[in-house]
């Protein structure tokens, strides 16, 4: 999809489809008023017949409206003007793209960013509109014979802002939205890819490709031999049951002029999680191909940030492996010495995410990080606690947690904080090793984070549990690209602060 911004008036737009808002109780928005005038009250007439009231989600397509050059006029219900918030704006944008697509128009001109959204400026409205539209039109057809869905989709959307001044002011926001969209698409494509075609080796190859497309990004792949030298025995304890070798992928993006400390993002890259010897039930096990979505988010964030050219230093780390049962697999009760020197009793081989993350988190210290944020489809318990609406957030540094929560609010990609209290740590006691890899039924998301916290003492750290948010389950299962919008917003905010 191509996006652009122009300034201009609605009644003059020469387009296949002009999109304007109608508020609840048939109230005309500013753009609608202008069209009404130009068309000698055609709009008022139609509205008075009651075809559209203006409730959110409603729409009405008119053709051959007199007095305007647009071929089609698409009216979108926008609800009550004073109540328009982030969520409603999203619904409006999503309704508009769905309707535009059903008209068959190849391009459209939208006045919807002209709506007043509570506490949001025009840049936000443009950026979010691009994000929501990209989200809504996404399809994954790499493994279908027919590479396009049958209908001819809209190819170009032009947003109209009130003045030339706003047009130039909004251009960076538009570009940011587009860059974010590219990152999110990378994350979703990797997530949706079946596990037989998305192995650790494939991820490593894709990382190298990403490094080739951006001068500012350096990529390094650590193989199992080198992992052994680094004493990453916990990570290797997971991959030892698989015929696919593990890879540790690192991205280094230099955007800041100074040698400032980088933000380090670590993502769980389990390309398939069978549970290992503690094998999972077979129902919906296919969805465990999404267990690398944390790793895929690292790809997406690095790509978006590099595309934006953000003035920040960023490191991405992805431990990638399969979790398989086999005669070489870890057995419950096995003990391993992690890279940190702490010993781990593996009581359940299905709690593998923390086993690969702990060594990756230890490895992170060498980047002298400003902060470390890990992203992982870590616990089913998080889905029980928060459902699919919020990402779980736990941190050893409250200001960092605040920043992430705030970024999530702005980006429409929210997280919710859970406590990381010392009281929970007892649940991880082991009679044979320094720590056990599971903490019992209670507070599973928290004890998982407690486990990780034993490897992050040296720096400010936050953990995002995306088990509920990384993909949508069921018949229309699909990776969502979350929490890439949250993380990119966090990094953008950090850049603004530094200015
Ligand atoms: N990848 C899973 C977590 C998961 C499960 C995410 C379902 C999304 C949906 C993780 O590796 C796992 O298996 N966790 C176990 C931990 C348990 C053994 C302590 C879980 O949540 O059941
Ligand atoms: Mn597991
Ligand atoms: Zn897992």
């Amino acid at each position: 999809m191509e996006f652009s911004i122009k300034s201009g008036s609605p009644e003059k737009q020469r387009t296949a489809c002009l999109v304007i808002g109608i508020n609840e109780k048939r109230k005309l928005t500013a753009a609608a008023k202008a069209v009404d005038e130009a068309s000698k009250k055609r709009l008022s007439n139609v509205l008075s017949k009651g075809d559209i009231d203006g409730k959110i989600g409603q729409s009405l397509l008119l053709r051959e409206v007199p007095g305007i050059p647009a071929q089609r006029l698409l009216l979108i219900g926008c609800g009550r003007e004073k109540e328009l918030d982030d969520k409603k704006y999203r619904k409006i944008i999503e309704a508009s793209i769905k309707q535009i697509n059903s008209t068959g128009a190849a391009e459209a001109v939208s006045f919807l960013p002209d709506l007043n959204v509570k506490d949001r400026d025009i840049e936000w409205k443009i950026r979010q509109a691009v994000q929501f539209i990209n989200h809504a039109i996404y399809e994954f057809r790499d493994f279908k014979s027919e590479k396009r869905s049958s209908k001819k989709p809209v190819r170009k959307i032009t947003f109209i802002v009130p003045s030339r001044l706003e047009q130039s002011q909004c251009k960076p926001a538009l570009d940011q939205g587009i860059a974010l969209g590219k990152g999110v698409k990378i994350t979703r494509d990797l997530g949706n890819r079946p596990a037989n075609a998305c192995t650790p080796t494939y991820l490593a190859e894709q990382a190298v490709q990403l490094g080739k497309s951006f001068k500012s990004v350096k990529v390094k792949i650590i193989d199992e031999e080198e992992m052994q030298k680094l004493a990453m025995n916990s990570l290797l304890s997971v991959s030892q049951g698989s015929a696919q070798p593990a890879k540790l992928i690192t991205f280094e993006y230099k955007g800041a002029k100074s040698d400032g400390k980088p933000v380090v993002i670590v993502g769980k890259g389990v390309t398939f999680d069978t549970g290992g010897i503690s094998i999972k039930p077979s129902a919906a096990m296919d969805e465990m191909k999404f267990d690398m979505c944390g790793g895929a988010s690292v790809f997406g964030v690095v790509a978006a940030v590099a595309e934006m050219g953000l003035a920040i230093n960023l490191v991405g780390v992805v431990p990638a492996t399969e979790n398989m049962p086999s005669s070489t697999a870890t057995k419950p009760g096995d003990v391993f010495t992690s890279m940190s020197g702490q010993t781990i009793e593996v009581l359940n081989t299905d709690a593998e995410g923390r086993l690969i993350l702990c060594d990756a988190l230890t490895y992170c210290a060498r980047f002298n990080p400003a902060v470390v944020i890990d992203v992982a489809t870590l616990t089913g318990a998080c889905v029980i606690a928060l459902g699919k609406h919020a990402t779980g957030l736990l941190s050893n540094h409250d200001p960092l947690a605040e920043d992430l929560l705030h970024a999530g609010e702005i980006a429409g990609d929210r997280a919710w904080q859970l406590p990381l209290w010392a009281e929970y740590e007892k649940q991880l006691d082991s009679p044979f090793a320094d720590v056990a890899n599971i903490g019992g039924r209670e507070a599973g998301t928290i004890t998982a984070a407690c486990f990780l916290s034993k490897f992050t003492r040296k720096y400010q750290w936050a953990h995002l549990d995306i088990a509920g948010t990384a993909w949508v389950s069921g018949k229309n299962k699909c990776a969502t690209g979350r929490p890439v919008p949250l993380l990119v917003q966090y990094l953008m905010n950090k850049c603004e602060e530094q200015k």
Side-chain angles (χ1 to χ4, degrees), residues 206-239:
Q206 291 308 111
V208 170
Q209 284 308 316
L210 206 156
K212 280 188 185 150
S213 48
F214 294 104
K215 256 200 183 137
S216 52
V217 177
K218 276 209 204 72
V219 174
K220 201 171 107 187
I221 310 294
I222 295 173
D223 62 13
E224 289 190 342
E225 198 181 324
E226 210 176 331
M227 286 177 209
Q228 240 138 27
K229 284 188 194 136
L230 288 161
M232 294 178 158
N233 300 311
S234 185
L235 168 47
L236 288 164
S237 81
V238 178
S239 64

Side-chain angles (χ1 to χ4, degrees), residues 2 11 30 58 62 74 79 99 198 204 214 226 230-231 319 323 357 363 382 398 434 462 483:
E2 192 188 323
E11 73 281 8
Q58 289 183 332
L62 304 175
L74 179 61
Q99 294 305 326
C198 184
F214 294 104
E226 210 176 331
L230 288 161
N323 185 23
L357 287 170
Y363 184 75
C382 192
D398 267 329
D434 298 339

Side-chain angles (χ1 to χ4, degrees), residues 288-400:
M288 282 299 116
K289 73 171 185 180
F290 293 116
D291 212 20
M292 34 60 72
C293 282
S297 321
V298 172
F299 281 69
V301 170
V302 169
V305 165
E307 181 85 26
M308 288 179 190
L310 282 190
I312 196 165
N313 294 331
L314 174 70
V315 172
V317 178
V318 181
T321 176
E322 282 183 341
N323 185 23
M324 298 294 281
S326 77
S327 73
T328 60
T330 292
K331 301 162 287 295
D334 287 359
V335 175
F336 297 93
T337 304
S338 66
M339 183 182 181
S340 73
Q342 298 174 86
T343 58
I344 303 167
E345 184 184 17
V346 180
L347 290 174
N348 188 321
T349 62
D350 198 11
E352 84 297 342
R354 61 198 80 180
L355 295 176
I356 70 170
L357 287 170
C358 70
D359 281 345
L361 287 165
T362 301
Y363 184 75
C364 282
R366 71 180 52 202
F367 297 109
N368 189 22
V371 302
V372 177
I373 303 164
D374 80 75
V375 191
T377 49
L378 204 64
T379 63
C382 192
V383 194
I384 303 302
L386 299 173
K388 61 183 162 58
H389 304 291
T391 292
L393 165 63
L394 298 100
S395 176
N396 65 9
H397 186 67
D398 267 329
L400 170 59

Side-chain angles (χ1 to χ4, degrees), residues 24 78 110 175 190 206 223 249 301 304 313 321 394 415 423 437:
E24 203 162 313
C78 296
S110 172
D175 292 341
L190 287 173
Q206 291 308 111
D223 62 13
I249 301 162
V301 170
N313 294 331
T321 176
L394 298 100
E423 283 89 329
N437 81 326

